[in-house]
Amino acid sequence: MVMDLHVSLPRGLTLANPVIAASGTFGFGPEYSRYVDIGSLGAVSVKGVSPEPWLGNPPPRVWETPMGLLNSIGLQNPGMEVFVRDDLPFLREKGATVIVNIIGHTVDEYARVASRMQGEAGVAALEVNISCPNIKEGGMSFGHDPEQAYQVTRAVRQATDLPVMVKLSPNVTSPALIAQAVEQAGADMISAINTVVGLAIDVEHRRPALGGTTGGLSGPAIKPIALRVVYDVAQSVSIPIIGMGGIASAADVLEFLLAGASAVMVGTVTFQHPGRMQQIIAELPQVLSRGGFRGVSGAVGQALPAASRPQTRGGDL
Amino acid sequence: MAGQQFHDGQVDARIVRREEVARDHVELILESPALARAVPGQFAHILTPGMLRRPVSFSRIEPDSGRVGLLFQVVGEGTAWLANCQEGERLDILGPLGHGFAPPDPSRPWCLVGGGVGIPPLYSAAAQWRESAPDVIIGARTREWVLMQKDFEQLGLGVRVTTDDGSWGQAGTVIGPLQEWLEGHADGQVFSCGPTPMLAAVASACRGRAAAQVALEQRMGCGIGACLACVVPARGQTQMEYRRVCTEGPVFLAEELIW
C-alpha cells in the first residue's frame, strides 16, 4: 500500500518523512555522510551554533549507564561564521533539510545567530536550544523560567521569519508551562526533550566521572520521561511537537506520534548504528500499517485523551 | 531490529582466531580486507551490547592475508563481552578510523616506546616499517603484561623491557631507557602509546631533542568526529582548543598537545 510519510509543519516546512537527526549527535553534517544518505532523512538538526566559537567542557565528556548515555560536551562549536562557510554548503549539496540548532549566553546572542541564518540558502528552520544541561550560564537557564523562555523566543521570532522550534528541558517542574510561554512568544513548534540532568561517579578516582561534573542523560533509559513530556505538552499547546528521547526503532517512533509528536528526532542510537535512521524510515510504513494508519499524520496524538486528540477525517487514519 | 544494514566504512568482520595473551588481555584476529588497509595507529570502533562502541587500535595489519589483530585489555562490561567472542563469530566494526602514525623518516634514528596495552599498536608500526628497524622500549606493571615482546623480537628488533615491580627486564618505567636512547641518538624520532601520564613523560623527555608522535586514549562516543566527546586539550593558534582523538588523532605530535 502507499504510505504517506510526509510531515507538513508551520511556515511551509515540509519533511519527506518524520525522522530527524537530533542535534548534538550528528555533528554539522559531513561526519556521518559516509554512513547515511543525509538527504534521505526527514531533516538534520546540526550541533548547536553560537555567534562566536565555544570551547566546550573538559573531558571526559561521555559515560555509559544502563540503557543510557551521560554526556557533558558543553556545546563546543566553531561559531556561526565557520558553520555557514564550511558546513552549510556541504549540507545544501547533499540535499539535506537543515535545522540549525542555535545557542547563546544571552538573549542577544540567540538573536544574532537567528538573524545570521535568515536568508542563508539551505537553512530550513531554527531550533532554539534553551535546555542544554551542560551550560551553567545562559543556555539552560532560559529553559527553566517561563519569562526568560518567552524573552529569548520573542527575540528569535523578531530576528527571522524562518520556522522556529524551541527545544524544551525535562528538568523542570512543568515543561507544559514553558511550552505555553514559547507558544505565546511566537514559536512555531516545540522540540522535546533535551537530555535529563544526571551524575555518574568514578569510583576508582572518587570523583564525578565527567569533566563537567553533571551531564545530560540520553538513550532508551529516558524514553518514558520523554513520552510523558510530549504527552503533557501536546495537551497544553496547539503548535506541533517534535518528540525525542531514546528512540531506536520504528515502533518507538509510532509511540511518540501517538503521544502527540508530529515528527521525531533520533540521536544516541546513531552512535551504535550509523544507518539506523534510514532503517527506521524504511520500516515505518509497515509499523504504521500494522497500527491501522495510512500515513504519519493520522497517527499523531491518537493516544491523547479524546478532548485533546487532533480531528481526523473519517477513514483518514 | 532484524538485519542490520551495512554501509561504506562499516565492516562485518569474522573472528578467525582468539587468544588470551595474558591475564585480562585478549587478541582477536579478524578477516577483513577493508580493515587490513589500515595505517598503524588507526582504530576499529566495535559494536558491543552497551550504548557505545569500543575503540581498539590494531595490533597487526596484514594486507596480504586480509587480516588484522585487535589486542585489548578487559576493563569493563564492553571489553568483557568482546573478550568472550569466539572464533567464527562476526563483529560489526566502523573503521579503520582516525589518523595513524606518519611514516618514520628512514634516514633518522627511530624508537618505539610502549606501555601496557599501548604496546600493540606500536608492533603494527614496527611490522609495517620494519626496514627502518626501530629500537623498542616496552614496559608494564608486571611481567605478564609485557605484551608482544616475542613478536618484536621475531622482527629482529632489539627490545628493552621495564616493569614497575622489577619482575621482568629492568625495574622502573620506560622513561629511564628512553632518556638513555635520546642521549645516544641525535635528531631521533619517537613513536609512543600508553597511559596518558606515561605519554606526558615521553613528551617531556623528547621536548627539543626528538620528534615524538603519541597515540592517545580517551572515552569516545561516535568515533567519527560528530559528537565531540573524545577531545584532548591542544595548542591552538592563539589559545587552547580541544581536538578529537577519533578524528585529528589518535596519533598526535606530542608538541601540539597540552599535557
Side-chain angles (χ1 to χ4, degrees), chain B residues 2 18 22 43 48 58 60 77 82 90 104 113 131 155 160 174 182 201 204 228 233 251 253 256:
Chain B
R18 172 190 179 280
F43 68 96
T48 72
F58 297 104
R60 301 170 202 277
E77 290 176 21
L82 198 56
R90 307 185 85 88
V113 183
E131 69 282 1
L155 293 177
R160 289 191 66 177
V174 293
L182 290 167
S204 169
L228 309 187
V251 178
L253 299 177
E256 73 180 291

Side-chain angles (χ1 to χ4, degrees), chain B residues 72-133:
Chain B
F72 55 94
Q73 182 177 13
V74 177
V75 290
E77 290 176 21
T79 43
W81 177 88
L82 198 56
N84 279 322
C85 289
Q86 301 301 317
E87 290 170 10
E89 293 180 356
R90 307 185 85 88
L91 294 174
D92 174 342
I93 290 176
L94 304 183
L97 297 177
H99 272 97
F101 289 103
D105 175 351
S107 69
R108 294 161 57 195
W110 179 32
C111 183
L112 303 176
V113 183
V117 79
I119 297 168
L122 297 178
Y123 172 75
S124 72
Q128 172 104 13
W129 297 300
R130 71 188 74 187
E131 69 282 1
S132 296

Side-chain angles (χ1 to χ4, degrees), chain A residues 27 31-32 34-35 47 55 58-59 61-64 67-69 73 76 220 249 271-273 275-276 279 283, chain B residues 1-4 7-9 47 50-54 94 97 218-219 222 224-229 231 240 242:
Chain A
E31 296 87 352
Y32 269 109
R34 183 174 180 196
Y35 305 95
K47 194 159 170 55
L55 187 58
R61 288 177 168 185
V62 284
W63 197 265
E64 272 188 348
M67 296 306 283
L69 181 65
I73 309 295
Q76 178 180 335
S249 68
F271 298 154
Q272 295 170 298
H273 303 291
R276 181 57 63 84
Q279 202 174 346
E283 293 178 7
Chain B
M1 197 170 283
Q4 188 61 37
H7 301 265
D8 181 33
L47 186 69
M51 299 305 299
L52 293 174
R53 289 168 177 262
R54 291 294 183 280
L94 304 183
L97 297 177
Q218 181 60 279
R219 286 197 170 260
C222 67
I224 61 158
C227 75
L228 309 187
V231 299
M240 187 270 262
Y242 286 118

Side-chain angles (χ1 to χ4, degrees), chain A residues 154-265:
Chain A
R154 192 88 201 140
V156 170
R157 176 74 289 155
Q158 286 167 351
T160 181
D161 53 23
L162 285 164
V164 170
M165 67 184 76
V166 180
K167 189 168 183 177
L168 300 190
S169 171
N171 308 307
V172 298
T173 307
S174 173
L177 278 182
I178 310 291
Q180 287 168 343
V182 304
E183 182 182 35
Q184 282 163 22
D188 301 303
M189 290 163 275
I190 302 283
S191 54
I193 58 175
N194 209 316
T195 53
V196 179
V197 68
L199 181 81
I201 295 292
D202 177 347
V203 170
E204 188 187 341
H205 298 100
R206 301 184 185 178
R207 65 186 180 209
L210 294 172
T213 307
T214 58
L217 186 65
S218 63
I222 70 165
K223 199 182 95 180
I225 299 171
L227 282 167
R228 190 278 293 187
V229 172
V230 168
Y231 185 83
D232 279 359
V233 171
Q235 295 173 66
S236 310
V237 299
S238 55
I239 52 179
I241 300 163
I242 314 298
M244 83 196 91
I247 293 174
S249 68
D252 291 339
V253 173
L254 181 54
E255 288 184 44
F256 276 80
L257 297 176
L258 294 172
S262 296
V264 298
M265 292 183 173

Side-chain angles (χ1 to χ4, degrees), chain B residues 13-168:
Chain B
R14 192 167 68 93
I15 301 169
V16 293
R17 195 155 60 80
R18 172 190 179 280
E19 188 180 353
E20 291 190 39
V21 297
R23 180 166 50 94
D24 296 335
H25 288 73
V26 171
E27 185 173 36
L28 300 176
I29 305 298
L30 307 180
E31 198 170 66
S32 170
L35 294 179
R37 293 198 302 257
V39 173
Q42 287 189 301
F43 68 96
H45 212 27
I46 310 162
L47 186 69
T48 72
M51 299 305 299
L52 293 174
R53 289 168 177 262
R54 291 294 183 280
V56 180
S57 296
F58 297 104
S59 53
R60 301 170 202 277
I61 301 167
E62 297 167 359
D64 293 343
S65 65
R67 292 180 173 192
V68 294
L70 298 171
L71 201 172
F72 55 94
Q73 182 177 13
V74 177
V75 290
E77 290 176 21
T79 43
W81 177 88
L82 198 56
N84 279 322
C85 289
Q86 301 301 317
E87 290 170 10
E89 293 180 356
R90 307 185 85 88
L91 294 174
D92 174 342
I93 290 176
L94 304 183
L97 297 177
H99 272 97
F101 289 103
D105 175 351
S107 69
R108 294 161 57 195
W110 179 32
C111 183
L112 303 176
V113 183
V117 79
I119 297 168
L122 297 178
Y123 172 75
S124 72
Q128 172 104 13
W129 297 300
R130 71 188 74 187
E131 69 282 1
S132 296
D135 294 310
V136 179
I137 304 167
I138 55 177
R141 295 226 306 259
T142 190
R143 177 174 183 164
E144 66 177 317
W145 286 345
V146 177
L147 304 170
M148 304 191 86
Q149 181 180 350
K150 284 205 176 69
D151 295 281
F152 284 106
E153 287 169 351
Q154 279 168 13
L155 293 177
L157 304 175
V159 183
R160 289 191 66 177
V161 178
T162 66
T163 49
D164 294 355
D165 63 2
S167 57
W168 189 244

